[in-house]
């Protein structure tokens, strides 16, 4: 997992005077788009997360490649980014390692901590197969978008995604991100269908939202995620709630 | 309030085959950046919301101007957008009216419903003064970003923002959006300090997160929001939890 | 006319080390796209020119609006821009006045000359009607693009545009820019058809390239230019070489 | 060499009505920026050329990678691109081969010719070492930018670049492109200093413009071009007119 952080961003947004909100929104969004396009080079995935802190997965890419991203950002944007890379047995542990790289180098609001770039490997782990679970809300358009206000649809979907991401993180070591619309993507360790069943049950019980999920596995996030998207299409067509693009045997 | 919706986006993302996730993430983000820059023309504010559904406020702009945005999007992106504008006594009612424009014109996934553009006025309301409340988390960097994993910081901040936006919507008719980092912005009806005190109390009690908030009022979102940003700076400097850039008398 | 110049750009591109060429190309192009979108606010036109020096026309816009563009650029890019605005009897004199604003403020490579913004009016001129002439090469696709190498097509078209812009500048006080493909746009003073006939004759005689041109006139560059585009469509359909969207009487 | 062409672009810009010029300018520029960022993946170079026809060099990249660029463009822009790749003994012959791929597939304005992608190898050539010559105008800021109008500076620089590119193409089989400011970059076959001396002499004699040039050689355009940039810095510092980052022996 890769943790990306805009250096000293909070102070920059208010120095010397608070900057116009729409300029910041546009800056953050385009910067993330650049990051997303960069991860695409390696068939990776990137997530906007909180915008000042972004998350990526690029199994198979040499951690050194992110120096190139840092240079590109410095050449094209008014801010710089730090990059921590973590390799570990689960996405959670890997992200914690990646975050640790940045935290150990100094505060996110330390003006002297700029363009950090480091890689931390936990327990000699190596980047192996990626499992992606792609969730969406069953008939979100019919039950939410076309029916209630966008604010209420937003509350409902965000609440479901929040329950989902906390469960996936706490119980299963997965990193889950909202990716727009009614979609969320989890970078998972190997999971069994009964695990995902239980997670979907939890979300339904706590928020009333019915999720469906497609699962893929592959050497890269894109390979796994593309299979997961096809598997989710299968759910949409058949009404199945959980579908894996590969044989998902209970182990 | 303005409701913007990418036309028939869900189906497009999977036709003829699911499109690469990073391409979609980059597309959504740049499209929103274009929308944000457009709202800046009118000293407005724009929010990415769910990306396929965006929200804006542009008091003082003639609703007809959004036809120009629709043309720009059609000329620069592979998708089109529908725009509903609502004018009403509170931001909530205005957003509901804006959403209603789109919902009444057809489903978000109706291939024949393209580039809808209409304006709905509730009870002869006119676009008047805007009140913006700009919230952030007290010492988010010290307590979250520099300390826990980005996933946990994300959970905590998202949970706080979710409680905040639901309270503000349900109880006070405000439209609240996460805008990156640990920031949320609410487009509010006139509010009293005791109201905001109660909201912050609620967030603290339900999530453990301490918010501070700067409030501004003006003829446009930017005018109000810029004052709110300065007021929030005042909170950061003094430790005050609520500060208004104008005289916020109890009424 | 508006002259825009990236501040101290040359030195920046090589400090501390020469920056990667593709990063610079992408930066310049996106910065110009931001400028073009900004001029669209005022129904203006913008031209990339040499990228570090851009040109715009925004009749009817208060020169003060460009401070907003300067702030947006500073908020979204790693460079800043200076802006000179000139108002005069012809586009040429207006551009010279706009250039003069910048030149008088200091060198383009003076690190201390940053975000200059001023307006110069020549002889109490006021921004009035704009005349736009939109040229393209007769059957460029059939005779060049589909037939010779892109390099040779490029030479031919660039040579024709160069003759065109020099003639238009030297003899007729017009500012002419290549806008992609086989298109060039001239911001003109009032012109007669016989003038344009003579210009097209000159280009044909010196370069062998046959141009056609549509002309429009209006309160803004977009109004005039849109009429010019329709007039050029008329040429494409009828074989006419010069067509004006308005009555172009010899005076 | 790589030839990129927006499919059926001319007709698209005027269908159903002529599209707003600034929207097209911004579209073209951002599309090229995407292309430039894409070529950076492979340490390549990309040039905007006429915008509807772009040029790139990506020695060492498998021609199949451009399918990925085509998909990205289709996912992020309202237009599609065709890509021809040519490998040959000189940049000129390679570009001609790349153009030939597209021309043979159909007209640039054939609505049915979409997303062509093919590779043509001339005489079993293989992509080897790249030579980049990076030219600029001696003291362009002092003699042009700060002194004459931007239009006149533009004429002068464009005329010099035009002479340069024609000479380099006709006599030396090089592909030369203007890259902004007073810079031009040539993708060259192996060249001797006396050749470049003669070219610079020709440009001075025909246009009065004094050029200086740095030359680099390497496995990729970026490797060669970065050396060329350093060599050009050497010229700027020492007053030398031609400097090679490698031993440029007369052969």
């Amino acid at each position: 997992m890769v943790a990306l952080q805009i250096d000293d961003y909070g102070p920059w947004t208010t120095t010397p005077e608070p900057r116009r909100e729409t300029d910041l929104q546009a800056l953050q969004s385009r910067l993330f788009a650049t990051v997303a396009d960069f991860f695409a080079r390696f068939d990776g995935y990137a997530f906007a997360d909180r915008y000042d802190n972004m998350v990526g997965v690029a199994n198979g890419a040499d951690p050194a490649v992110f120096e190139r991203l840092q240079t590109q950002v410095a050449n094209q944007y008014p801010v710089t980014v730090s990059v921590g890379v973590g390799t570990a047995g689960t996405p959670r542990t890997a992200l914690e390692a990646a975050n640790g790289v940045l935290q150990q180098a100094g505060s996110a609001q330390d003006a002297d901590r700029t363009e950090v770039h480091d890689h931390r490997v936990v327990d000699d782990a190596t980047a192996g197969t990626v499992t992606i679970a792609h969730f969406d809300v069953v008939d979100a358009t019919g039950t939410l978008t076309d029916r209630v206000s966008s604010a209420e649809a937003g509350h409902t979907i965000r609440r479901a995604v929040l329950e989902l991401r906390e469960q996936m993180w706490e119980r299963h070591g997965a990193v889950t991100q909202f990716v727009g619309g009614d979609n969320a993507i989890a970078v998972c360790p190997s999971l069994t269908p009964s695990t995902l069943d239980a997670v979907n049950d939890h979300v339904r019980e706590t928020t009333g939202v019915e999720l469906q999920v497609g699962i893929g596995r592959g050497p890269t996030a894109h390979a796994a995620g593309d299979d997961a998207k096809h598997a989710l299409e299968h759910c949409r067509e058949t009404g199945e709630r959980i579908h894996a693009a590969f044989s998902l045997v209970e182990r």
Side-chain angles (χ1 to χ4, degrees), chain A residues 28-153:
Chain A
Q28 294 171 179
S29 296
R30 292 200 181 101
L31 176 56
F32 168 64
T34 292
V35 168
D37 284 341
F38 188 86
F39 274 79
R41 293 187 185 195
F42 310 101
D43 288 331
Y45 266 20
F47 305 105
D49 201 10
R50 295 198 281 140
Y51 293 101
D52 58 348
N53 285 270
M54 295 166 275
V55 177
V57 50
N59 279 35
D62 181 337
V65 298
F66 296 105
E67 289 177 24
R68 174 65 197 107
L69 174 61
Q70 292 179 302
T71 306
Q72 184 182 346
V73 169
N75 284 343
Q76 299 182 344
Y77 290 93
V79 294
T80 58
V81 293
S82 284
V83 177
V85 184
T87 305
T90 67
R92 173 179 173 156
T93 323
L95 181 59
E96 286 170 337
N99 293 142
V101 166
L102 302 185
Q103 288 163 344
Q104 202 168 311
S107 169
Q109 297 200 351
D110 178 345
D112 295 328
R113 202 222 59 185
T114 304
E115 295 189 309
V116 172
H117 180 283
D118 212 348
H119 179 208
R120 187 173 291 179
V121 180
V122 181
D123 293 337
D124 297 325
T126 52
T129 299
V130 185
T131 303
I132 295 286
H134 194 133
F135 297 83
D136 77 359
V137 175
V138 176
D139 194 21
T141 303
T143 60
L144 294 169
T145 309
D146 289 348
R147 199 169 280 248
V148 302
S149 72
S150 61
E152 284 159 317

Side-chain angles (χ1 to χ4, degrees), chain A residues 174-196:
Chain A
V175 175
T176 310
Q177 292 273 328
F178 177 67
V179 292
D182 59 326
N183 293 255
I185 289 177
V187 186
C188 307
S190 294
L191 289 179
T192 64
S194 56
T195 302
L196 289 165

